[in-house]
Amino acid sequence: MFQIRQARFLLFPFLGASLLACGTASTPGEARSPLTAQAASAACEGGAFRVIVGGVTYQGNRGFDIPVPAGARVQLRGRYVQFDLDGDTLSAYDYVMTGAANSADMTGGVRTPVFASKVVDLGQKLGGTLKASISDAAIVLERRGSSAKMKIQAKDCAQGGIFQMEPETGAPVTVTHTLAPGMYYYKNPYTGKINLGNGTDFRGKDSPQMATLNLQADHFSVWTVQSGGRMGGVLGEDAVELSAGATKCVQDCQAQNQIRGTLPVTDPAYSN
């Protein structure tokens, strides 16, 4: 028998046309991300990101304008999740679950690398300050170029919808996901969908919107993402729910992404 449970948001709510106003590193801001309500769940308990650039740490529930030198790495360090961003493109590297104790932990308390990289080909470098809005276990980052904008939304949680990359260039872009050693893509026999895992009960899934899969291999996937679309990622029970997937929407998509009613969970890792 599979489990029917009350559904919740599977995808990040979009923030609309602009990022919430951010303060500077020396002036407290009032920016509050719409991800706050989601981040209050047990899987996110105690989660909070720190942003580290050039040895300077930015943290706390507020907004920041962060100077990022050309070629610099932006380090995101949370209780449950850690990864780096290339400051020039906001491509992500070394995405790791730390194995910190939590009732929703999928790692068995073991540090678990998930993605080696999530690389976006913007065709140009970003510049100016990196705008960051931290709110409890959620963070939103945005940086612009001459004709491009990249937004990253992430959550420091043990599982759930925890990462989203949103390029805006006026044209389609290529995003390539490469899994960490030990992780692989596979077709889940209980859902018929493509999951990622490491042979344990760890479950993950790429979560696209307005994106086309060009190539699927055992350790990487290549996508074409429309301007205003996104490449997200979910882990745990959300990765095996029999949802219909995201709607075709590139602006103000929060309502369309909301699941109403219930969804079946047939994967035995989460249905017992």
Side-chain angles (χ1 to χ4, degrees):
M1 294 292 291
F2 59 73
Q3 176 189 18
I4 298 289
R5 70 176 185 82
Q6 291 298 317
R8 58 181 180 274
F9 284 101
L10 300 184
L11 309 174
F12 282 114
F14 281 59
L15 297 186
S18 62
L19 184 69
L20 295 174
C22 292
T24 66
S26 59
T27 305
E30 297 298 327
R32 302 292 292 179
S33 165
L35 303 180
T36 301
Q38 287 181 289
S41 67
C44 308
E45 185 176 0
F49 278 113
R50 308 185 311 278
V51 183
I52 305 170
V53 181
V56 180
T57 298
Y58 304 83
Q59 60 187 336
N61 284 7
R62 47 182 286 195
F64 301 96
D65 286 327
I66 302 175
V68 179
R73 283 292 178 104
V74 179
Q75 297 176 304
L76 278 294
R77 297 294 181 263
R79 176 179 176 83
Y80 307 105
V81 174
Q82 297 182 354
F83 60 93
D84 293 348
L85 296 174
D86 170 26
D88 291 340
T89 64
L90 296 194
S91 296
Y93 294 87
D94 301 322
Y95 190 100
V96 174
M97 304 300 292
T98 67
N102 185 282
S103 60
D105 174 59
M106 304 182 299
T107 69
V110 177
R111 183 177 178 85
T112 303
V114 182
F115 285 94
S117 62
K118 295 170 176 266
V119 176
V120 57
D121 182 6
L122 292 176
Q124 63 177 272
K125 292 183 178 181
L126 304 173
T129 59
L130 174 69
K131 294 186 179 294
S133 178
I134 304 174
S135 183
D136 298 326
I139 190 167
V140 181
L141 303 115
E142 183 181 291
R143 200 176 191 202
R144 295 175 178 269
S146 59
S147 59
K149 179 178 73 173
M150 270 290 293
K151 183 189 295 182
I152 300 291
Q153 298 190 70
K155 288 167 60 180
D156 183 25
C157 306
Q159 62 172 280
I162 59 177
F163 187 89
Q164 183 164 302
M165 175 183 286
E166 302 173 39
E168 290 187 27
T169 65
V173 300
T174 299
V175 176
T176 302
H177 289 177
T178 302
L179 298 180
M183 287 285 171
Y184 53 86
Y185 287 109
Y186 67 98
K187 187 173 182 178
N188 190 316
Y190 302 100
T191 66
K193 297 186 177 183
I194 301 299
N195 281 139
L196 62 93
N198 58 0
T200 68
D201 284 344
F202 190 99
R203 301 286 190 272
K205 183 171 71 69
D206 291 337
S207 179
Q209 185 164 37
M210 294 299 292
T212 302
L213 180 63
N214 298 326
L215 180 62
Q216 178 72 70
D218 55 352
H219 288 90
F220 67 92
S221 59
V222 181
W223 303 78
T224 296
V225 183
Q226 301 300 313
S227 180
R230 61 107 172 97
M231 281 305 303
V234 296
L235 296 178
E237 188 173 353
D238 287 359
V240 298
E241 288 176 333
L242 299 182
S243 62
T247 55
K248 294 183 178 181
C249 176
V250 295
Q251 185 175 2
D252 300 327
C253 301
Q254 179 174 347
Q256 290 88 342
N257 285 342
Q258 184 175 0
I259 301 299
R260 303 184 183 281
T262 59
L263 289 173
V265 177
T266 58
D267 189 314
Y270 292 94
S271 61
N272 294 330

